[in-house]
Amino acid sequence: MRLIQLNLLGTTAIRKKRKKIRFYITFAYICVWLFSIYTLFYIYKTNLFISTVYQKEIQKIHTDIASLRPKFANIDKLYQEKKTIEAKKSLYRQDFYRPGSWLDKMMALSRKIPENIRLEELSVNTKPDKGKGKEKIKLVGYTLIDREQQDVTQLNVFKRFLEDDGRFMEGLEKIEVLQGRIGKKGKDPVMTFVLGVY
């Protein structure tokens, strides 16, 4: 006769292991679920904080723009005034290059020439090349020298007369002596000169 052996303890051990495995799986699932909820809540709070910061920054920028609006209006006004002045300046320059303006200068020049100075050449260049130091007016002539006084300062006197004449110097900046040489004109001692007006 055979004896039937029952392994009751072994089955109980398997059941206990199954319960432990189920508990661990359930616990892990709950932990993952709780972690996911915490992560979502943290992301929500972080985004809410960032949104609040941005809203404050936007409000600050809006306030700054509102306070700067009068300054922008003033800048625009000054810019329009600058354009008007530039237009007038351009018109003035056009007037400066007209023959009538140069006629006034020539009249002023004729009144300032001393008795002992003779002009042999007068050339006008209303639009000289920039950056080359080209003169707008070139005066070539000579001054008679007094034998008794040996006076050679008449050229400087003539230059000073022109510099002091506001009508002649209008639109011009300076006068320079480009050349001065002592020589003779026939039997008379003279000093030839070249003046450049810029």
Side-chain angles (χ1 to χ4, degrees):
M1 184 172 134
R2 277 184 168 180
L3 293 174
I4 299 173
Q5 293 180 353
L6 297 173
N7 189 6
L8 297 175
L9 291 175
T11 305
T12 304
I14 291 170
R15 286 178 183 170
K16 285 182 179 178
K17 283 183 179 179
R18 282 180 183 170
K19 282 184 180 179
K20 281 183 179 180
I21 290 170
R22 282 178 187 168
F23 173 76
Y24 288 142
I25 291 172
T26 305
F27 181 74
Y29 175 76
I30 291 170
C31 286
V32 170
W33 189 73
L34 288 173
F35 180 75
S36 299
I37 291 175
Y38 173 75
T39 303
L40 289 173
F41 179 74
Y42 178 78
I43 291 171
Y44 169 75
K45 291 293 286 183
T46 304
N47 288 341
L48 186 64
F49 174 74
I50 293 171
S51 174
T52 305
V53 170
Y54 283 162
Q55 286 293 334
K56 287 180 180 178
E57 193 68 26
I58 289 168
Q59 187 64 33
K60 183 183 176 185
I61 292 170
H62 181 71
T63 305
D64 291 344
I65 290 173
S67 66
L68 289 173
R69 235 171 234 152
K71 293 181 181 178
F72 288 147
N74 193 26
I75 289 170
D76 185 58
K77 180 183 174 185
L78 291 173
Y79 176 71
Q80 295 300 329
E81 289 177 1
K82 177 178 175 280
K83 285 177 70 177
T84 304
I85 291 170
E86 284 179 348
K88 289 180 179 177
K89 185 178 178 183
S90 176
L91 182 63
Y92 166 75
R93 283 181 174 169
Q94 290 175 5
D95 288 340
F96 179 72
Y97 295 136
R98 286 179 184 165
S101 173
W102 287 95
L103 179 61
D104 288 342
K105 291 187 184 306
M106 295 305 106
M107 295 293 290
L109 174 64
S110 67
R111 288 192 296 271
K112 294 296 179 180
I113 299 175
E115 293 180 1
N116 62 338
I117 284 185
R118 307 287 183 268
L119 288 181
E120 295 180 309
E121 181 186 334
L122 187 152
S123 58
V124 175
N125 184 9
T126 57
K127 296 182 180 179
D129 297 334
K130 292 182 179 178
K132 294 185 178 179
K134 190 72 176 174
E135 62 276 356
K136 293 181 179 177
I137 302 174
K138 184 177 180 181
L139 303 173
V140 180
Y142 62 92
T143 175
L144 300 172
I145 299 175
D146 191 338
R147 292 185 180 187
E148 295 179 1
Q149 297 181 2
Q150 295 295 320
D151 185 9
V152 292
T153 62
Q154 287 302 312
L155 179 60
N156 291 326
V157 172
F158 177 45
K159 178 175 172 284
R160 191 169 63 251
F161 281 167
L162 292 178
E163 288 172 338
D164 293 342
D165 191 314
R167 198 169 180 184
F168 179 78
M169 291 301 294
E170 184 179 1
L172 302 171
E173 295 178 2
K174 61 181 179 178
I175 301 173
E176 289 184 359
V177 178
L178 303 179
Q179 183 181 330
R181 291 180 183 173
I182 296 177
K184 283 192 175 184
K185 204 81 168 172
K187 294 182 179 180
D188 298 320
V190 296
M191 184 176 74
T192 59
F193 64 84
V194 179
L195 289 181
V197 186
Y198 299 88

